[in-house]
Amino acid sequence: MYAQHPQQQQNALTQSKGSDAKYQNQALYARVGGSAAGSGAASGSYGAAPGAGNAAGTAGVPVSSNAGGQAMADGDSEALYQLMVELFSATNREQALAELSRRRDQNPDLGVALWNAYGVMTILYQEIIAIYPLLNPPALTMSVSNRVCNSLALLQLVATHEQTRMQLLKANVPQLLYPFLSTTSKVKQYDNLRLTSLGVIGALVKYDNREVISFFVVTEFLPLCLKIMDIGSELCKVVATFIFQKIIIDDGGFQYVTSNPKRLHTVLVILNNVVNQMVTMPSGRLLKSVTKCLIRLADNQEAKEKMQEGLSEHLRDSTFAHVLAEDVSYRRLIYQLLVKLS
């Protein structure tokens, strides 16, 4: 799909010959569109989106062959390393992405290997950026969507690992996913794209890091998140609401949402919409996430007063009685919310 630089392909192929050369080569750093970089991931300034024309260079992501080789050095991981090499072949890349995604649970350090292996992150960025023209007007096929979702699943590994999580964030890589989150088509290929993109962001926010939350506040992720909570599929709503919950648990995220009356009003309206939409098809997971969000927002006096007046009646009456009967933890959450609003 993409023509790789001949020297880049040669480097990757050379690394695959013999374990000594593979795992002990001096680390090579490359930045597409720029000069050779020093070791470590370069930090991008929050709020500056990576350029679509040259993702890795603009995002400032150096990649090396040495650390990735060490992370993948033992046992069955040899096959995963060979699949990483095959990413440099335009012919084999789609299959290699699918197979790496399928095997992503086999090695806990695969995310580190992907981040550090020479040229691999650049390939993942290319895969993501290449489908931007297919987003509007909608022209995405299921096969192309699956291919990009495999790339996003690998990005999620990088986002999950403690050694690479903050480097991915500081390189502004999550912003490459925002165009996917802004799509509105409800056909499966676009829904899968949104869900997998949310999975990457969910992996970043789940560890309650203030710097991570600040990134998503500053880069205007919240409007995208709220839109998906309002009009997305059930699974997308569940993940988006979880992310929103994590953002407002943080004091900075909470202050951002509650300090602006218009923003706070919008948030409360959308949370009420989510509840009302579940009347015909309840989701225990989603109900619990929404209730946790409301409990947290009730810590703000203005939000508390608005909820006392306008909280969805479905949370007060017997609409979700069967969920209450089956889930003790949800009963406790509803009780906590109603007591807090009394």
Side-chain angles (χ1 to χ4, degrees), residues 48-282:
N54 207 340
T58 313
V61 184
V63 286
S64 87
S65 61
N66 190 45
Q70 290 175 355
M72 304 289 291
D74 56 2
D76 295 338
S77 298
E78 178 67 23
L80 296 178
Y81 178 84
Q82 292 302 326
L83 287 170
M84 290 166 63
V85 172
E86 289 183 19
L87 292 175
F88 291 91
S89 165
T91 303
N92 299 333
R93 183 180 301 169
E94 183 172 3
Q95 181 60 36
L97 285 169
E99 193 63 21
L100 279 168
S101 178
R102 188 179 69 82
R103 299 188 183 190
R104 60 186 180 273
D105 296 327
Q106 289 185 5
N107 191 304
D109 291 324
L110 179 57
V112 179
L114 292 167
W115 177 262
N116 289 289
Y118 181 86
V120 168
M121 293 302 295
T122 300
I123 290 170
L124 297 183
Y125 304 152
Q126 288 176 331
E127 290 289 315
I128 290 168
I129 290 170
I131 71 162
Y132 284 176
L134 304 179
L135 301 180
N136 190 22
L140 191 64
T141 65
M142 184 59 76
S143 62
V144 173
S145 176
N146 289 339
R147 175 169 175 159
V148 179
C149 285
N150 285 330
S151 298
L152 294 172
L154 298 180
L155 270 190
Q156 185 171 341
L157 291 178
V158 180
T160 301
H161 202 287
E162 61 180 357
Q163 293 183 27
T164 52
R165 186 184 311 135
M166 296 308 298
Q167 296 181 68
L168 187 79
L169 188 80
K170 291 179 179 180
N172 291 328
V173 174
Q175 286 185 277
L176 293 176
L177 313 185
Y178 289 7
F180 300 160
L181 299 177
S182 68
T183 59
T184 56
S185 174
K186 295 189 177 182
V187 296
K188 187 174 182 180
Q189 51 265 43
Y190 288 90
D191 190 61
N192 289 347
L193 202 59
R194 289 189 291 269
L195 181 60
T196 317
S197 298
L198 287 170
V200 177
I201 295 171
L204 288 166
V205 303
K206 69 184 292 185
Y207 298 99
D208 300 322
N209 183 295
R210 178 160 293 182
E211 188 174 355
V212 172
I213 301 304
S214 176
F215 174 90
F216 288 112
V217 169
V218 170
T219 58
E220 294 294 327
F221 165 75
L222 271 177
L224 298 173
C225 184
L226 291 169
K227 184 188 70 175
I228 293 173
M229 288 166 59
D230 194 21
I231 66 172
S233 65
E234 179 186 335
L235 280 176
C236 283
K237 285 175 183 284
V238 168
V239 181
T241 307
F242 165 79
I243 294 170
F244 179 74
Q245 175 195 334
K246 286 294 186 179
I247 288 173
I248 61 174
I249 284 174
D250 177 82
D251 289 340
F254 180 78
Q255 176 67 20
Y256 175 80
V257 169
T258 58
S259 62
N260 183 302
K262 185 177 179 180
R263 186 181 300 130
L264 176 60
H265 174 75
T266 300
V267 166
L268 293 175
V269 167
I270 289 175
L271 288 171
N272 264 351
N273 287 347
V274 175
V275 173
N276 295 336
Q277 290 163 11
M278 283 188 283
V279 171
T280 56
M281 191 175 295

Side-chain angles (χ1 to χ4, degrees), residues 284-304:
R285 289 183 300 175
L286 187 53
L287 274 170
K288 284 194 283 189
S289 288
V290 170
T291 306
K292 288 177 181 177
C293 291
L294 292 170
I295 290 171
R296 172 56 170 154
L297 289 171
D299 289 336
N300 174 268
Q301 185 60 34
E302 182 180 354
K304 180 178 178 178

